[in-house]
Amino acid sequence: MAASRGIFVALNVLAVVEAVRGAQLTSHPLQHTSDALWAGLRSEVQGRLYEGVPMAKSCFDGPDSEECRVVRATYGDETSRSDVFGGYINTQWETCQVTGEQCLLDYTNPNSTLPTSPPNKCRLGSISKYYIDVRSPKDITKAFKFSEKTGVPIVVKNTGHDYKGRSSAPSSLALWTHNLKNMSYHPSFVPSGCARTKSSPGMTVGAGTQWGEAYAFAEAHNITVVGGSDKNVGVVGGWLQGGGHGALSNVMGLGVDRVLEYKVVTPDGVLRTANMCQHQDLFFALRGGGGGTFGVVTEATILASPQVTLQAVILIFPRPPTGTQSNITRDMFTVMVNNTVRWAEEGWGGIANGFTAIYINPLLSPEQAAVSMKPLIDFGNNASARVIVTEFPAGERTLTSLPTASSL
Ligand SMILES: *[C@@H]1O[C@H](CO)[C@@H](O)[C@H](O)[C@H]1NC(C)=O
Ligand SMILES: *[C@@H]1O[C@H](CO)[C@@H](O)[C@H](O)[C@H]1NC(C)=O
Ligand SMILES: *[C@@H]1O[C@H](CO)[C@@H](O)[C@H](O)[C@H]1NC(C)=O
């Protein structure tokens, strides 16, 4: 009996494998979704269903057009890329990983006409065939119902900054959350369903908000929020739901440690409020489970702290001439590795790449900061780096004026 059931199960698994293989070869749900169905969805979202267009398409259509000129001029600029649906921060995620199809310029020289010359053609690659410019949770509910009916897969995109490419997929329907940008400050935020005694200052941000916007809003309200160093990254998506590391995290916690509440549309199409008093399991999952894993978050309320005075140490090393070797990066990281546990315990956090390092600290005095960071400051001075040791007083535009590694 047990043996025959085992065979039965095995046969069923084989049948499923064969069915999936067959489906891949012959068709995709997109091919079975009629124009009428798309038209129906379009009217359900008040016309805000559009076709995905690669950022560089105009340059394939007419290399001398004004539209193409703008694309060439802004091609390497993160802010411009994050503001268009068909632009991703890393262009490999505009490329289909299976077929190699894409619609790209030369990132190192966007003026080059080589990539747009025949026989090269502009192909959609991994960019979604359709996207909804999401303006309310209802749009997301409609998209889930549509996906359930047609089988067309769903993708969630705000800025397109995801390093694992989770904000694009070929032949999909994308939910573009980028225009959910409103923010509000609540001096005593009580998570829905919780007792009044659970109140704390909170800042609520829509799913399209980027860190640069959130920092400006926080400073205007004299509060500190813990966020990332790249001001183009989204607050609520992969950064927050995936953990949320920031320069202040060693002292003030990760992004996920500071979430007070999420509003999220789960795949059954229901808008839910998840916090420590209701849907606790979902609240737990959304604090580390990864962007878009358990639903589409439409807004999050994060803990707001008083403004703090920060000590900052910034090193900018001269770049070696092209084609020459330099040990700067290796030697700088040696200094870091030898000191990093102590620095973390003393309250430092930051970001470094090959030729820059930016550290901030909300705990120390200027004198303590100089002593604590002496190994790095000495190393920088010996290696002819520009060394900036400074204080950002509380109440000044600290986070918005702090450089990011990519801006140095
Ligand atoms: C590309 O062309 C524009 C307009 O002609 C020019 O301003 C820009 O400097 C060029 N960029 C490069 C990298 O050559
Ligand atoms: C944004 O505005 C909408 C409509 O007024 C509201 O429902 C939503 O809660 C607001 N979101 C935030 C983050 O303030
Ligand atoms: C801003 O907050 C700080 C506390 O962090 C307080 O000392 C200061 O008076 C506040 N400034 C304004 C303008 O409210």
Side-chain angles (χ1 to χ4, degrees), residues 373-396:
M373 274 287 164
K374 190 169 186 308
L376 188 65
I377 294 169
D378 287 351
F379 172 74
N381 284 329
N382 288 336
S384 309
R386 212 177 125 210
V387 180
I388 303 164
V389 181
T390 189
E391 179 180 81
F392 291 98
E396 293 190 6

Side-chain angles (χ1 to χ4, degrees), residues 182-184 204-206 299:
N182 54 342
M183 293 179 261
S184 47
T204 305
V205 297
E299 61 180 60

Side-chain angles (χ1 to χ4, degrees), residues 214-235:
Y215 289 147
F217 184 88
E219 284 169 359
H221 289 82
N222 199 23
I223 53 172
T224 296
V225 285
V226 172
S229 81
D230 188 323
K231 287 159 195 164
N232 286 302
V233 167
V235 174

Side-chain angles (χ1 to χ4, degrees), residues 69 72-73 108-112:
R69 197 193 58 74
R72 291 193 196 285
T108 61
N109 177 18
N111 284 352
S112 167

Side-chain angles (χ1 to χ4, degrees), residues 191-194 261 272-283:
S192 169
C194 289
E261 183 167 282
R272 297 174 197 275
T273 301
N275 57 39
M276 65 164 102
C277 302
Q278 58 188 48
H279 296 305
Q280 291 95 332
D281 52 349
L282 193 53
F283 189 52

